[in-house]
């Protein structure tokens, strides 16, 4: 059996990276050379959701906007945590030595998430009709 240096094991990865970079560069280059480029006042103007931009670009947003964004992050993290747990749930007794450890672990985690959701709900963050500071 022939022995190759360890670095040769990275050859498929390097080839995949080179193909990806080459494909991306080829697409951008083809777009540049084949596409039509007509500069006009309309194309060079600012585009804001199909409307002419009015006012300052640094407008203030309500804190509620950021709180809802944090809530989305909270539930994304919850989904990321629950999926691996659900996949290995039946094997957890063998891993931990306790039959209900996985169940109680998830119950505590969902309790923390429920407390966070209850706090946001009681603060009125999800009730957008009361906020007069939004743009």
């Amino acid at each position: 059996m022939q022995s190759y240096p360890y670095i040769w094991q990275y050859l498929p990865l390097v080839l995949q990276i080179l193909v990806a970079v080459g494909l991306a560069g080829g697409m951008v280059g083809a777009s540049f050379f084949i596409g039509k480029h007509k500069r006009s006042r309309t194309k060079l103007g600012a585009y804001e959701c199909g409307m002419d931009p009015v006012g300052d670009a640094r407008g203030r947003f309500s804190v509620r906007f950021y709180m809802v964004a944090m809530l989305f992050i909270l539930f994304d993290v919850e989904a990321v945590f629950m999926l691996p747990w659900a996949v290995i749930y039946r094997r957890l007794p063998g891993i931990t030595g306790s039959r209900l450890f996985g169940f109680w672990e998830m119950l505590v985690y969902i309790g923390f998430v429920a407390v966070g959701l209850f706090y946001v709900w009681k603060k009125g963050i999800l009730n957008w009709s009361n906020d007069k500071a939004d743009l």
Side-chain angles (χ1 to χ4, degrees):
M1 181 163 183
Q2 192 173 8
S3 175
Y4 292 104
Y6 183 74
I7 195 75
W8 284 98
Q9 293 181 6
Y10 287 102
L11 183 62
L13 176 65
V14 171
L15 288 177
Q16 186 176 7
I17 290 171
L18 288 175
V19 167
V21 168
L23 186 63
M27 286 183 187
V28 170
S31 168
F32 180 75
F33 289 118
I34 296 172
K36 296 179 183 178
H37 303 284
K38 292 184 180 178
R39 294 184 178 263
S40 67
R41 187 171 190 213
T42 305
K43 281 190 173 184
L44 294 176
Y47 181 76
E48 187 75 31
C49 302
M51 299 168 52
D52 291 328
V54 177
D56 187 15
R58 297 180 213 178
R60 296 185 57 136
F61 286 96
S62 172
V63 174
R64 181 169 283 135
F65 173 79
Y66 300 106
M67 292 296 283
V68 170
M70 295 285 283
L71 197 60
F72 275 112
I73 292 171
L74 173 73
F75 287 115
D76 286 347
V77 170
E78 178 186 13
V80 166
F81 181 67
M82 287 181 83
L83 184 65
W85 172 83
V87 169
I88 67 164
Y89 179 73
R90 292 187 187 265
R91 289 186 285 157
L92 278 176
I95 295 170
T96 62
S98 174
R99 204 170 59 113
L100 291 176
F101 175 77
F103 173 75
W104 294 115
E105 173 190 22
M106 189 50 64
L107 197 64
V108 168
Y109 180 72
I110 290 176
F112 282 126
V113 172
V115 167
L117 181 60
F118 182 73
Y119 173 77
V120 167
W121 184 23
K122 281 300 185 184
K123 281 289 199 178
I125 299 299
L126 300 176
N127 190 358
W128 288 88
S129 62
N130 293 340
D131 192 15
K132 305 297 183 218
D134 283 337
L135 296 174

